[in-house]
Amino acid sequence: MTKSRVAVDVGGTFTDVCIMDEDTGEIRIEKTPSTPDDPMRAIMNGVADAKVDLADVTMFSHGTTVATNALITRKLPRTAMVCTEGFRDVVEIRRSNKEDLWDTYKDVAKPYIPRRDRLTVKERVDAAGKILQELDEDEARKVAEILKKRDVKAIAVCFINSYVNGQNERRMKEILTEVMPDVHVSISSQIMPEIFEHERFSTTMVNAAVSPVVVDYVSRLSDKLKDGGYARDLLLLHTGGGVMTPASVKDFAARLAGSGIAAGAIASRFIGNLCGFENSIGFDMGGTSTDVSLAHHGEPIMTKDWYIEYGYPIRFPSIEVLTIGAGGGSLAWKDEGGSLRNGPQSAGAYPGPACYSNGNEVATNSDANLVLGRLGTSLAGGEITLDPKLAEKAVRETVAEPFGMELHEAAEAIIDVANANMANAVRLLSITRGHDPRDFALVAFGGAGALHGAEVAKELSIPVVIVPPNPGVTSAMGCLLVDIQHDFSDSFMADAATTNPEDLEAAFHKIEAEAVDRLRHEGVTPENTVLQRTVEMMYQGQWRSLAVPAPSKVTSTQDLIAGFHEQHEREYNFSREDAPVSIFRVGVKATGVVPKAELPKHEVVENTPTPAGQRDVWFDGKCCKTDVYERVDFKAGAQFSGPAIVEQVDSTVVVPPNTTAKVDQYMNILIRWRTEA
């Protein structure tokens, strides 16, 4: 009986299923059209098409866009908020800033909870955690009855200063649960116990708003899998780069916002490291969007400043990923100034590009690639047939005629604009953060990443492009490379120099006990439990902090202070060792180690592959007779030169003229531009 692990990544156009044989490490894939009305249907279709026996599956991991889509479309159940009297409008006042300071007419989106559903109660805790006024329970019950009549499905409880003492919040939750047992209640002292009320209130609001949607989806999918014979917990990828079980999703649903894009970042870092590149840029181009991520010295870049909609931060730790509207289905269009644009509008999964024959008549990147000969006439192993005549008609009518261009010139213009947009996204995540793209490898994946990766790399002078063995399902494979992971934190505001190490130890022990209990509840054994401590510190008078690694037993704060000065120097290129330092917060990353996927290793023997055929492909305004290879025919050590096209079931690899390509021991294709004399 063959045991396998299954990972599923739901994209805007396709749902990817990745199946790994536990004994051999062999990976096989299945792609099926996404079903935006119910993503679970595509998942089960993919599992069925792949002929997976769920009874033989030892791990089922899933990156989901359900929470993200619910927030973007605002298809959310009615959600309420209960606040301290006088703090009803914190989430509407925000930071009084805008995404574009110079756009007078562009307003920040409204809060996910309208003002009429933000109610208040009398209670008060001071900044030191002392309860100045107990929760008015009569008033609290009246509020609960009002919300019950309004038939709300979720409630966020956000009291001022609860980050240091959440007693009143916990009591409010008890009362709400007594009156409405089936309502999802999120309290800020549990969700995000830190100062800065807008960020705390916002994170709790988002968590509450998506809870009914996410919990319902996860429960239904878990039941479907169990009905099919799967006997273990469903694992769901969260933005921090780990997975969580359905038990944790009930409390921290907002951690799944952005779940799907984190998988690609994890996979690209893994592949970069595997190929010997500690510095790598993930370039995940799908049907609707492109996600760019960055790993430096083998570790992903993390952030706590992220959001789905500007103005409403979600402060859970997250792998930093920049997403732009550039994919295979991105539409070409002419702006008011007469310039050619590409995206962010997309033809989506349906009707899709014009060549899909589903009624779209506007040119997309896929249509342009088909006109240029870079794409063949079928996708997904022949499941989707592309019509070149419809692609030519769309490119001609959308771009060639309006701009007075020849057909192939217009198609190349569409691709050039798309590549420029994606290169700019890479610059934003690298150069603006002090990283030189020339020091990185570009890992190109997603259904369309390998079509554009080499030319994007040329634009940025990136020396090498890595195309994984299964680029179209690399994000799904990322779900097989993660551990169960949770982040815990607690406020600890004190002067670093005078802090008693025993007080720090006591704070760590408190959250470590919670972390161990959470992992135990998820079935993680003590020997597979790893706890990593951090202390967030800042120069006194600042409000932005840096997380400094802390030892398993703190005996002196001087080492922590020295570590903070070093990190400040590294992050900002200066430090002030004579300035006093404050401790802001203590944190613990709790990891439950699970077995990882391992790509099979092959013996490398230099060889020249045999093309399966040739076709005309356009590069730089010229038509080139181009060799077309089938990737399944490649052996480790294969070497060839561009121009070339490599076709496979889940993607197409474009190897432009003036490049060389080599297949490594893990069956990755490494493309390098020749150095011009």
Side-chain angles (χ1 to χ4, degrees):
M1 183 172 59
T2 301
K3 294 293 184 182
S4 60
R5 302 177 199 166
V6 176
V8 178
D9 178 61
V10 178
T13 306
F14 289 107
T15 291
D16 302 328
V17 181
C18 183
I19 307 104
M20 189 191 78
D21 186 300
E22 279 199 343
D23 296 327
T24 65
E26 179 186 348
I27 289 176
R28 59 189 180 92
I29 60 173
E30 187 68 44
K31 291 181 80 73
T32 189
S34 292
T35 50
D37 58 316
D38 184 5
M40 188 175 70
R41 199 166 75 249
I43 293 172
M44 300 312 295
N45 288 344
V47 169
D49 292 345
K51 296 180 173 52
V52 173
D53 186 346
L54 290 171
D56 296 333
V57 175
T58 60
M59 184 177 85
F60 195 105
S61 185
H62 174 33
T64 174
T65 57
V66 168
T68 310
N69 292 342
L71 291 169
I72 290 172
T73 62
R74 297 224 166 195
K75 292 181 179 178
L76 299 165
R78 189 168 186 177
T79 306
M81 179 180 280
V82 182
C83 308
T84 306
E85 190 174 58
F87 293 87
R88 180 185 189 184
D89 296 315
V90 165
V91 293
E92 195 132 18
I93 297 169
R94 302 181 314 279
R95 290 288 174 190
S96 299
N97 53 5
K98 299 176 70 173
E99 189 169 20
D100 186 345
L101 290 174
W102 311 112
D103 190 338
T104 308
Y105 300 100
K106 185 178 180 182
D107 292 325
V108 177
K110 293 290 184 183
Y112 298 110
I113 302 175
R115 194 172 195 271
R116 65 180 177 274
D117 288 331
R118 301 197 300 265
L119 308 184
T120 64
V121 294
K122 293 184 178 67
E123 71 84 36
R124 198 57 189 259
V125 175
D126 70 10
K130 180 182 178 182
I131 296 180
L132 302 179
Q133 182 176 2
E134 298 279 354
L135 174 68
D136 186 328
E137 296 199 6
D138 291 336
E139 193 175 42
R141 291 186 185 280
K142 288 179 183 177
V143 166
E145 291 294 343
I146 291 170
L147 296 179
K148 183 178 181 181
K149 288 178 181 177
R150 294 183 183 181
D151 195 28
V152 300
K153 303 300 182 185
I155 302 169
V157 179
C158 302
F159 291 167
I160 197 69
N161 293 332
S162 63
Y163 68 92
V164 70
N165 184 346
Q167 180 178 319
N168 285 349
E169 278 193 350
R170 290 191 292 272
R171 181 57 188 146
M172 185 72 225
K173 180 177 180 178
E174 289 172 359
I175 292 171
L176 290 168
T177 305
E178 287 171 14
V179 177
M180 295 173 285
D182 297 328
V183 168
H184 298 262
V185 181
S186 299
I187 61 175
S188 72
S189 55
Q190 178 188 20
I191 300 300
M192 186 54 53
E194 63 177 56
I195 200 171
F196 304 129
E197 61 270 14
H198 171 53
E199 287 76 9
R200 178 161 51 89
F201 283 28
S202 173
T203 303
T204 309
M205 172 179 67
V206 172
N207 195 80
V210 300
S211 282
V213 178
V214 171
V215 171
D216 174 68
Y217 170 76
V218 170
S219 298
R220 289 191 299 116
L221 180 55
S222 294
D223 291 343
K224 275 280 188 184
L225 294 174
K226 286 178 182 176
D227 291 344
Y230 181 60
R232 303 194 182 187
D233 272 333
L234 167 66
L235 298 179
L236 296 130
L237 187 75
H238 62 68
T239 53
V243 287
M244 56 201 296
T245 65
S248 290
V249 170
K250 291 179 180 178
D251 292 326
F252 299 96
R255 294 218 68 176
L256 296 183
S259 159
I261 59 177
I266 293 163
S268 66
R269 174 176 64 96
F270 171 79
I271 291 164
N273 287 339
L274 206 62
C275 295
F277 297 94
E278 286 191 328
N279 295 344
S280 61
I281 295 170
F283 177 71
D284 179 5
M285 184 179 179
T288 308
S289 61
T290 295
D291 302 320
V292 179
S293 60
L294 189 145
H296 186 239
H297 293 322
E299 293 299 325
I301 304 299
M302 304 294 291
T303 183
K304 291 186 77 174
D305 296 316
W306 64 284
Y307 50 84
I308 300 300
E309 285 189 282
Y310 182 83
Y312 304 104
I314 304 171
R315 292 279 291 175
F316 294 125
S318 171
I319 295 175
E320 188 166 16
V321 179
L322 179 62
T323 301
I324 64 167
S330 293
L331 301 172
W333 53 285
K334 185 176 184 179
D335 69 12
E336 293 177 354
S339 298
L340 176 62
R341 298 297 185 94
N342 191 300
Q345 302 94 326
S346 174
Y350 193 91
C355 57
Y356 279 23
S357 307
N358 290 327
N360 172 41
E361 296 180 352
V362 180
T364 66
N365 291 327
S366 292
D367 295 311
N369 277 311
L370 183 58
V371 168
L372 294 172
R374 300 180 186 186
L375 269 181
T377 55
S378 67
L379 294 177
E383 289 187 18
I384 297 176
T385 301
L386 308 183
D387 188 330
K389 291 183 179 179
L390 288 177
E392 290 177 7
K393 181 175 182 290
V395 171
R396 183 176 290 109
E397 293 180 356
T398 305
V399 178
E401 292 175 357
F403 288 93
M405 295 179 177
E406 184 270 329
L407 177 66
H408 295 95
E409 181 187 10
E412 284 201 272
I414 294 171
I415 299 302
D416 288 344
V417 173
N419 289 342
N421 290 342
M422 293 182 288
N424 282 336
V426 174
R427 290 187 183 99
L428 278 173
L429 203 62
S430 56
I431 295 172
T432 60
R433 307 297 168 82
H435 299 292
D436 187 339
R438 293 173 296 183
D439 297 331
F440 289 74
L442 187 76
V443 183
F445 59 103
L451 274 166
H452 294 254
E455 291 186 341
V456 171
K458 182 181 182 182
E459 174 81 11
L460 297 161
S461 299
I462 294 174
V464 60
V465 178
I466 303 169
V467 182
N470 304 109
V473 295
T474 296
S475 287
M477 190 185 76
C479 295
L480 297 175
L481 302 170
V482 292
D483 295 309
I484 295 174
Q485 181 184 303
H486 300 291
D487 297 278
F488 299 82
S489 63
D490 207 352
S491 290
F492 189 100
M493 304 181 72
D495 178 78
T498 59
T499 295
N500 186 336
E502 292 181 0
D503 293 337
L504 266 177
E505 278 295 302
F508 275 124
H509 287 159
K510 176 188 171 186
I511 55 178
E512 283 174 342
E514 183 183 354
V516 169
D517 186 62
R518 175 80 60 78
L519 290 178
R520 186 188 302 118
H521 182 63
E522 296 187 326
V524 178
T525 59
E527 58 269 23
N528 289 326
T529 298
V530 178
L531 303 178
Q532 296 169 281
R533 295 176 166 187
T534 55
V535 177
E536 291 196 35
M537 308 170 77
M538 66 186 104
Y539 288 119
Q540 285 184 16
Q542 290 185 327
W543 65 276
R544 293 189 184 276
S545 59
L546 289 174
V548 178
S552 57
K553 182 174 178 58
V554 178
T555 57
S556 168
T557 59
Q558 293 306 310
D559 292 340
L560 295 174
I561 294 170
F564 170 75
H565 289 310
E566 289 177 12
Q567 187 151 332
H568 203 280
E569 178 77 33
R570 187 164 55 249
E571 292 277 338
Y572 301 111
N573 207 30
F574 82 96
S575 61
R576 295 177 56 199
E577 297 192 11
D578 58 333
V581 176
S582 294
I583 296 176
F584 173 60
R585 179 172 47 224
V586 293
V588 169
K589 180 162 76 173
T591 303
V593 179
V594 298
K596 305 292 186 305
E598 292 185 14
L599 295 182
K601 197 172 179 180
H602 302 265
E603 182 183 358
V604 175
V605 179
E606 287 192 11
N607 65 94
T608 302
T610 302
Q614 283 191 327
R615 68 168 176 253
D616 291 338
V617 183
W618 290 76
F619 294 100
D620 298 322
K622 297 177 183 178
C623 181
C624 305
K625 276 289 182 190
T626 301
D627 289 335
V628 179
Y629 297 92
E630 293 291 338
R631 192 160 183 181
V632 292
D633 296 335
F634 282 175
K635 295 180 175 63
Q639 298 182 50
F640 56 98
S641 299
I645 301 293
V646 182
E647 294 185 333
Q648 58 188 108
V649 67
D650 59 326
S651 188
T652 298
V653 185
V654 171
V655 184
N658 204 35
T659 62
T660 61
K662 184 174 182 178
V663 180
D664 73 0
Q665 59 190 336
Y666 296 104
M667 302 306 291
N668 299 295
I669 299 175
L670 277 66
I671 303 170
R672 290 180 168 87
W673 285 91
R674 288 194 179 97
T675 304
E676 296 190 19

